[in-house]
Amino acid sequence: MKESEKTNESLPFSEIGPYADNFTTETVITRLIEGLGFRYYWATDGLRDIDLSYKPSDDSRSSLDVLEHIYGLTEMVIYAFHNKEYPTETKYEMSFSEYRTKTLLNLKKMSDMLIKEVKISEVSVKINFGGQSMSFPFWNAINGPLSDAIWHTGQIASNRRASGNPFNSRAQVFLGKLM
């Protein structure tokens, strides 16, 4: 077994587990995060250097740049769950493998925190834009970083198709399983 396959097997969201028995704010947000995790897992599985450098136009972000952005979005939500202010000017410099692993682990951490300890009604998103501190209710995390991460995960899937490497067609997003 290749080293990349070993790493891949240990990452969360290759499948989505069973859903919760009841609907609460936390279980619904958890399932949203799991759906994002599944899509991200398969959108990023097996990306090649040519896929990572792909840009649909000269003024677009490369797929690797988009992965950095998605990672930052997950960090913003983790900061909110820890009641910490997120510095929006944060720059990350990691390899593709590090972005992929850390993003999936952040999504898993969010999911676990929602199940065990976080009450959404008590979470606010605190951000620092250019030295100005701002605070928003969790609603903004849904239409902001979480929805944005879903949007950009679709962008990765689209970019990889355009660069000649479509994602695994056996990944069934409706069921959250590999068929």
Side-chain angles (χ1 to χ4, degrees):
M1 180 180 296
K2 292 186 220 170
E3 190 61 38
S4 63
E5 289 173 348
K6 288 181 196 173
T7 303
N8 214 21
E9 284 181 7
S10 64
L11 293 173
F13 301 114
S14 63
E15 288 193 351
I16 301 175
Y19 48 80
D21 293 330
N22 57 0
F23 284 86
T24 67
T25 304
E26 289 75 24
T27 61
V28 170
I29 299 297
T30 297
R31 197 57 168 199
L32 176 77
I33 290 167
E34 291 168 346
L36 167 57
F38 182 80
R39 282 166 174 77
Y40 183 89
Y41 182 97
W42 290 108
T44 60
D45 182 58
L47 288 178
R48 310 165 302 180
D49 288 341
I50 193 169
D51 305 317
L52 295 169
S53 63
Y54 179 80
K55 293 168 59 164
S57 66
D58 289 339
D59 62 342
S60 307
R61 292 177 179 164
S62 71
S63 291
L64 185 61
D65 292 337
V66 174
L67 293 173
E68 176 187 355
H69 180 60
I70 295 169
Y71 174 73
L73 295 168
T74 66
E75 282 285 286
M76 185 184 297
V77 177
I78 293 288
Y79 272 64
F81 283 2
H82 286 294
N83 196 31
K84 292 168 54 179
E85 183 178 82
Y86 180 75
T88 58
E89 282 100 26
T90 302
K91 284 287 190 192
Y92 305 98
E93 294 199 21
M94 295 184 271
S95 69
F96 158 66
S97 178
E98 289 172 308
Y99 281 128
R100 182 171 192 255
T101 298
K102 289 182 177 191
T103 299
L104 287 166
L105 292 176
N106 270 356
L107 293 169
K108 177 69 172 139
K109 184 175 183 178
M110 283 182 231
S111 178
D112 290 346
M113 289 178 77
L114 282 164
I115 292 167
K116 296 175 185 164
E117 63 195 77
V118 171
K119 296 292 175 221
I120 290 297
S121 62
E122 299 170 5
V123 174
S124 60
V125 180
K126 298 173 184 167
I127 53 178
N128 189 307
F129 278 125
Q132 183 177 358
S133 295
M134 301 176 183
S135 183
F136 302 91
F138 191 76
W139 292 111
N140 292 76
I142 296 169
N143 60 270
L146 291 173
S147 293
D148 203 27
I150 294 168
W151 174 285
H152 288 301
T153 297
Q155 184 180 2
I156 295 296
S158 181
N159 284 357
R160 74 178 291 162
R161 179 176 294 279
S163 64
N165 184 20
F167 79 92
N168 191 333
S169 63
R170 294 178 23 231
Q172 175 47 259
V173 295
F174 183 75
L175 298 175
K177 302 218 178 292
L178 192 63
M179 303 309 279

